[in-house]
Amino acid sequence: MSENLDPFTISQKQLYDACKISGYDNQIYNALKTPERFVEIKITMKMDDKTLKTFRGFRSQYNSARGPMKGGIRWHPEESASLVKALSAWMTWKCACVDIPLGGAKGGIICNPKEMSNRELETLARNYIRELADIIGPNIDVPAPDVYTNPQIMAWMMDEYEKIVRKHAPSVITGKPLPLGGSAGRSIATAQGGVYCIRDATKDLGLNLNGATVAIQGYGNAGSWAAKILQDSFNCKIIAVSDSKGGIYDENGINSHEAALHKEKTRSVIGLKDTKQISNAELLELNCDILIPAALENVITRENVDNINCKIIAELANGPTTPDADQTLFKKGIHVIPDFLCNAGGVTVSYFEMVQGYYRYFWTEKEVFEALDRVMTKAYRSTIDQAQKYNTHNRMGAYIIALERVINAMKLRGWL
Ligand code: NAD
């Protein structure tokens, strides 16, 4: 039988397994397995060429027991209701795992932003917020960027929300540009948080980061910053990187800054001088110390897991590994830093952005990263400790911590 790759089914299976390991019964699982609210919207708008186009969008509000819900907005041709629900579940477990006082949500629009003009992107952003204004807000649900959305899109969304509520409300959204109340370090934060985990994992494994070989799938916000930090601060050797068009390889090391500049100029990393072109599939199977999936979900599956050949997998992407592959990686002794721990730096600094927004008092980048390091180091250590205590893989370790916190909050509220 082939593996079920439906993202929401996968997130429910992980939750089911975590409930079993933690000793929660089916009633608890049933209370947790679906979002509190799921909204589907339609946006019809005039494109630059005067044609009318209709888009479908979503917002999934998964769990609000621990605080206002939080989650990014993804604009992608392959976006789906199932994926948005799964991502909203993972946001819930993520905020609980790193112990920030927020619930989980996620949003998206099925579209291809690469084919749209700036005016079209702005119209789409403002329409999305007009449709959802009643159910988002600084104390309800706070969106942020995700794949193919960025600080400019967050700025338009914040402005539209403020026009509707007729007052300043910068904490309605995070990932804003700095002049509009963004946080120092926010665009680097996802990668920086992951790097703190990688640093601690290499200590656990007795692996020297200096000269360690790294392959990164996805060279957007998360992936490209991870490459730059690992190269500049730890002298890692980045042997391969990729994007949606394919990958590049150089056993002597790719200069991460040159790769970013090349992608900015040509829209792909492919063609960077002195590198060999490889496919995304080949990149995942390279012999390296650290493999970083930083693009989309379901890339390490039953089909390719036997060929994965690294010591650490640091999941900056959400949902890159299927449950079947998780079991095999555990048996192979590959140290996985699971997604909702590894990429939690983004939402943690988003939370710092909300806090700074409330006070209208802003921290330096150094202060932001010191606070982030404390959060990530603690969450990494508790995850590994739980996994060892229950003799399970690290993803289950992270689930055990997250579930306990969410269930406790629900019980205290009288929901369970
Ligand atoms: P991004 O839009 O900045 O970059 C995405 C990158 O993935 C691009 O380089 C794109 O070319 C590449 N890509 C797209 N499809 C691909 C494919 N089929 N194969 C290989 N590469 C492909 O997005 P991002 O913000 O860097 O997000 C990447 C992942 O990290 C997503 O899973 C996202 O949910 C997760 N994440 C991001 C943040 C954040 O703060 N940005 C936080 C937490 C998790």
Side-chain angles (χ1 to χ4, degrees):
M1 208 170 67
S2 64
E3 199 175 8
N4 187 337
L5 296 182
D6 174 68
F8 191 45
T9 309
I10 287 178
S11 76
Q12 288 181 319
K13 164 141 183 48
Q14 292 169 343
L15 174 64
Y16 183 82
D17 291 347
C19 283
K20 277 267 159 330
I21 291 181
S22 305
Y24 300 118
D25 62 20
N26 267 348
Q27 297 178 67
I28 299 281
Y29 168 69
N30 285 332
L32 290 173
K33 72 176 185 187
T34 46
E36 286 175 16
R37 170 156 57 186
F38 180 78
V39 177
E40 182 165 344
I41 59 170
K42 181 175 87 169
I43 296 169
T44 299
M45 57 180 251
K46 216 170 251 171
M47 308 303 281
D48 288 350
D49 64 4
K50 308 287 180 235
T51 57
L52 274 183
K53 206 160 176 181
T54 298
F55 298 92
R56 280 169 72 219
F58 313 97
R59 189 77 189 163
S60 175
Q61 298 179 325
Y62 199 84
N63 189 291
S64 60
R66 299 183 77 255
M69 292 170 283
K70 185 93 193 74
I73 299 171
R74 185 179 287 201
W75 287 4
H76 197 273
E78 311 279 299
E79 187 63 314
S80 70
S82 165
L83 182 55
V84 174
K85 286 181 194 172
L87 290 164
S88 70
W90 291 327
M91 281 305 298
T92 304
W93 317 132
K94 186 185 307 191
C95 293
C97 178
V98 295
D99 208 9
I100 54 177
L102 297 170
K106 200 80 185 191
I109 300 180
I110 305 172
C111 65
N112 189 353
K114 289 183 184 171
E115 291 172 353
M116 294 168 72
S117 71
N118 253 353
R119 190 207 65 86
E120 290 169 341
L121 295 174
E122 178 175 351
T123 308
L124 190 64
R126 290 185 183 279
N127 271 291
Y128 183 77
I129 292 302
R130 277 206 292 280
E131 290 300 324
L132 295 175
D134 287 340
I135 60 160
I136 62 168
N139 289 310
I140 307 170
D141 174 6
V142 181
D146 193 75
V147 175
Y148 298 162
T149 54
N150 57 34
Q152 175 60 72
I153 292 172
M154 299 304 110
W156 290 323
M157 289 184 167
M158 179 197 78
D159 182 66
E160 190 63 28
Y161 183 80
E162 291 186 342
K163 278 182 174 153
I164 293 167
V165 299
R166 299 184 70 78
K167 60 183 173 198
H168 277 291
S171 294
V172 67
I173 213 153
T174 60
K176 301 181 289 291
L178 280 179
L180 292 182
S183 174
R186 174 59 185 89
S187 41
I188 314 172
T190 303
Q192 184 66 65
V195 169
Y196 290 139
C197 294
I198 292 171
R199 175 200 62 194
D200 292 353
T202 52
K203 278 187 207 150
D204 283 351
L205 301 187
L207 186 77
N208 194 351
L209 256 184
N210 190 343
T213 50
V214 182
I216 304 179
Q217 184 190 47
Y219 214 62
N221 175 291
S224 67
W225 277 112
K228 290 175 200 165
I229 301 167
L230 286 168
Q231 180 190 294
D232 295 348
S233 305
F234 295 97
N235 199 28
C236 291
K237 199 199 278 185
I238 314 297
I239 58 166
V241 300
S242 72
D243 57 36
S244 58
K245 301 196 176 87
I248 52 172
Y249 172 77
D250 181 355
E251 63 178 346
N252 299 315
I254 292 165
N255 182 311
S256 57
H257 298 274
E258 282 174 17
L261 283 175
H262 184 76
K263 183 166 167 65
E264 217 176 285
K265 271 193 223 140
T266 66
R267 307 189 79 174
S268 175
V269 291
I270 294 177
L272 180 67
K273 69 172 171 18
D274 300 331
T275 62
K276 181 182 145 205
Q277 190 171 337
I278 56 169
S279 68
N280 265 294
E282 286 168 328
L283 179 143
L284 293 167
E285 298 178 8
L286 286 173
N287 181 0
C288 61
D289 293 314
I290 304 166
L291 173 65
I292 307 185
L296 301 177
E297 49 293 327
N298 291 336
V299 294
I300 301 175
T301 66
R302 195 194 281 171
E303 298 298 318
N304 65 355
V305 66
D306 288 329
N307 302 330
I308 300 292
N309 197 0
C310 61
K311 300 188 177 77
I312 294 174
I313 298 179
E315 297 181 337
L316 285 181
N318 282 302
T321 308
T322 62
D324 276 9
D326 263 336
Q327 295 301 340
T328 308
L329 292 171
F330 186 48
K331 281 191 206 126
K332 284 173 75 156
I334 294 180
H335 188 83
V336 176
I337 309 172
D339 52 2
F340 68 72
L341 165 68
C342 192
N343 67 33
V347 72
T348 303
V349 174
S350 273
Y351 162 61
F352 297 157
E353 182 176 331
M354 289 168 72
V355 172
Q356 295 169 78
Y358 285 133
Y359 284 95
R360 302 273 202 278
Y361 178 78
F362 290 86
W363 312 347
T364 61
E365 187 174 278
K366 186 165 176 278
E367 287 169 321
V368 169
F369 287 149
E370 279 169 3
L372 177 65
D373 195 355
R374 282 194 294 278
V375 170
M376 297 303 298
T377 300
K378 194 169 163 211
Y380 173 82
R381 186 48 48 211
S382 344
T383 296
I384 303 306
D385 288 350
Q386 289 303 310
Q388 283 171 355
K389 182 174 158 198
Y390 285 83
N391 190 24
T392 181
H393 53 78
N394 294 340
R395 191 180 320 282
M396 281 299 124
Y399 262 102
I400 291 165
I401 299 167
L403 276 185
E404 189 186 343
R405 292 192 177 133
V406 173
I407 290 171
N408 193 25
M410 291 172 80
K411 281 187 175 157
L412 287 167
R413 286 175 180 278
W415 293 359
L416 295 176

